[in-house]
């Protein structure tokens, strides 16, 4: 029998217990042995819940029990998750987690600690919820040179942007609806300002390129400045606005960025709506592949966590290799990247087109008859720093700008 302990009995932790119970026979067949939840750690009590039989409030009970083989960390955050994970690995227990914040901040250290103690540290659920992506990058695509990863990695922001697109809602109204429906936290900053997606693309990039990508070095923009008017223009040109997290190789090195962008109908991310996530991977031999599914939710995320439990149970007292070294991957300064930009300015095209073209060269003008007092244009490819400098030359400044990925 393989004994596991679950840290945290919240949404994901209770889901893990449910998956291990409901799919007990499937898991036994895949592992070749029974996987038993011996302990669940939580500060709370759960009267009437079957978890009462295995509930503990003191982590040392788990840590000092040599029969516990696997620790499932579903607490979230850095404290005490980091200390608990580190102690478990040092005690010779494998750990798996859905905690992207912890993985992004301390992944290389914890992977090395697992290697030193002949155990494993796995985190399939940290980047795509129920979407399998870590394992494919780490095992299935190792014959390829990954050139680019691009995706919608946050269900909260995608739900908000989808509602703004389909309902014509302003950002604040769509956010309130997301909170009402349980898709956004009371404090949604990590989602709407791009921090969650930033940590996920840092993890994916670290595995894809084999070196550590620090999330705090990734240029990140959120969606709070996107308005219903932006969507009216996007619909006019057959585009949708999505929060895109991407990284890739260029002739000059590597880049990574999280920002809202307009995507066209030919882009596979165009049709990813609501709380769903999608991750596109391009390999030099494979070409394009897309991973799509539920990026969050109790059971989809728990299913991904339990897939790591199964893997670790099949490799007890072994280290499952993860292609992620502690060597830092240098990223190009964002100012050097080239993009097209959608730009809104005040006035009319008839009055200001000449000024705009004098500053930005040949541009595509977009005018909406129902929107007096402003117009928009799309630039050709231009460096990020160059765009910022040129935008300052527009009299009165710009109302807003969004990158164009088509």
């Amino acid at each position: 029998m393989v004994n596991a302990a679950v840290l945290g009995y919240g949404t994901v932790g209770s889901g893990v217990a449910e998956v291990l119970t409901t799919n007990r026979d499937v898991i036994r067949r895949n592992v070749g042995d029974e996987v038993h939840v011996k302990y669940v750690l939580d500060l709370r009590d759960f009267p009437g819940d079957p978890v009462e039989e295995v509930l503990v409030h003191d982590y040392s009970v788990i840590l000092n029990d040599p029969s516990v083989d696997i620790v499932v960390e579903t607490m979230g955050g850095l404290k005490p998750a980091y200390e608990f994970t580190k102690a478990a690995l040092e005690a010779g227990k494998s750990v798996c987690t859905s905690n992207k914040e912890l993985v992004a901040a301390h992944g290389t250290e914890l992977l090395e600690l697992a290697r030193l103690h002949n155990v494993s540290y796995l985190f399939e659920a940290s980047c795509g919820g129920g979407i399998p992506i870590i394992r494919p990058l780490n095992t299935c695509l190792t014959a390829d040179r990954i050139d680019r990863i691009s995706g919608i990695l946050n269900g909260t922001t995608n739900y908000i942007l989808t509602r703004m697109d389909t309902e014509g809602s302003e950002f604040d109204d769509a956010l309130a609806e997301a909170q009402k429906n349980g898709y956004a936290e009371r404090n949604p900053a990590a989602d709407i300002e791009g921090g969650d997606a930033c940590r996920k693309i840092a993890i994916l990039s670290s595995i894809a390129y084999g070196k550590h990508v620090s999330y705090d070095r990734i240029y990140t923009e959120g969606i709070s400045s996107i308005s219903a008017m932006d969507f009216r223009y996007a619909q006019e040109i057959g585009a949708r606005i999505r929060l895109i997290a991407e990284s890739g190789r260029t002739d000059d090195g590597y880049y990574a960025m999280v920002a809202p962008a307009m995507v066209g109908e030919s882009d596979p991310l165009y049709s990813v709506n609501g709380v769903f996530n999608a991750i596109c991977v391009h390999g030099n031999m494979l070409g394009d592949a897309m991973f799509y599914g539920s990026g969050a939710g109790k059971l989809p995320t728990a299913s991904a966590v339990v897939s790591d439990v199964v893997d670790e149970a099949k490799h007890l007292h072994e280290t499952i290799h993860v292609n992620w070294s502690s060597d830092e991957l240098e990223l190009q300064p964002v100012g050097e990247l080239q993009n097209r930009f959608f730009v809104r300015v005040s006035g009319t095209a008839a009055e200001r087109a000449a000024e705009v073209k004098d500053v930005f060269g040949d541009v595509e003008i977009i005018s909406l008859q129902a929107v007096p007092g402003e117009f928009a244009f799309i630039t050709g490819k231009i460096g990020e720093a160059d765009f910022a400098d040129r935008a300052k030359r527009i009299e009165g400044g710009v109302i807003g700008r969004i990158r164009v990925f088509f």
Side-chain angles (χ1 to χ4, degrees), residues 103-108 202 205-206 210-215 324-330:
V103 176
H106 296 289
T108 55
S205 301
S206 296
K211 292 185 177 182
H212 179 62
V213 177
S214 297
Y215 69 89
W324 181 354
S325 82
S326 58
D327 295 336
E328 191 79 20
L329 185 71
E330 291 296 324

Side-chain angles (χ1 to χ4, degrees), residues 200-275:
K200 292 174 180 177
I201 195 65
I203 296 167
L204 294 175
S205 301
S206 296
I207 295 172
Y209 312 129
K211 292 185 177 182
H212 179 62
V213 177
S214 297
Y215 69 89
D216 55 0
R217 296 188 179 182
I218 296 176
Y219 177 81
T220 302
E221 286 182 21
I223 65 169
S224 56
S225 64
I226 303 298
S227 70
M229 187 61 68
D230 292 320
F231 278 97
R232 293 182 64 177
Y233 282 104
Q235 290 162 2
E236 178 73 13
I237 61 175
R240 286 179 174 162
I241 302 170
R242 296 290 182 260
L243 182 67
I244 306 296
E246 69 167 6
S247 68
R249 302 172 190 256
T250 70
D251 292 339
D252 300 314
Y254 293 84
Y255 73 93
M257 173 183 283
V258 177
M262 289 187 176
V263 296
E265 292 182 7
S266 62
D267 193 311
L269 299 179
Y270 178 91
S271 300
V272 179
N273 296 312
V275 295

Side-chain angles (χ1 to χ4, degrees), residues 78-219:
L78 294 180
K79 293 184 178 182
Y82 168 68
E83 289 81 4
F84 285 4
T85 297
K86 186 176 179 180
L89 295 171
E90 290 173 336
K93 304 178 191 297
S94 288
V95 178
C96 57
T97 184
S98 58
N99 189 342
K100 66 263 183 181
E101 186 177 359
L102 178 59
V103 176
H106 296 289
T108 55
E109 175 193 352
L110 296 173
L111 285 168
E112 176 62 15
L113 201 57
R115 187 189 67 79
L116 289 173
H117 292 276
N118 296 314
V119 291
S120 296
Y121 182 60
L122 301 179
F123 38 88
E124 180 61 66
S126 65
C127 291
I131 305 172
I133 182 61
I134 301 292
R135 195 169 283 106
L137 284 176
N138 194 51
T139 60
C140 306
L141 301 178
T142 52
D144 265 72
R145 185 188 73 184
I146 304 301
D147 294 319
R148 184 170 179 264
I149 300 174
S150 177
I152 295 170
L153 301 180
N154 183 272
T156 298
T157 53
N158 206 50
Y159 176 85
I160 291 170
L161 293 173
T162 300
R163 298 302 292 177
M164 292 177 72
D165 188 13
T166 58
E167 303 296 325
S169 306
E170 290 291 354
F171 171 79
D172 288 341
D173 295 329
L175 171 58
E177 183 179 352
Q179 290 172 318
K180 178 181 177 182
N181 291 329
Y183 298 135
E185 301 289 342
R186 182 177 300 176
N187 180 359
D191 294 319
I192 65 173
E193 298 305 334
D196 178 79
C198 173
R199 285 168 171 79
K200 292 174 180 177
I201 195 65
I203 296 167
L204 294 175
S205 301
S206 296
I207 295 172
Y209 312 129
K211 292 185 177 182
H212 179 62
V213 177
S214 297
Y215 69 89
D216 55 0
R217 296 188 179 182
I218 296 176
Y219 177 81

Side-chain angles (χ1 to χ4, degrees), residues 28-50:
R28 183 193 301 116
R29 183 172 69 245
N30 289 330
V31 172
D33 201 351
E34 183 86 24
V35 177
H36 171 65
V37 178
K38 186 168 185 180
Y39 302 109
V40 171
L41 176 74
D42 205 288
L43 294 176
R44 300 164 294 176
D45 292 310
F46 299 90
D49 191 303

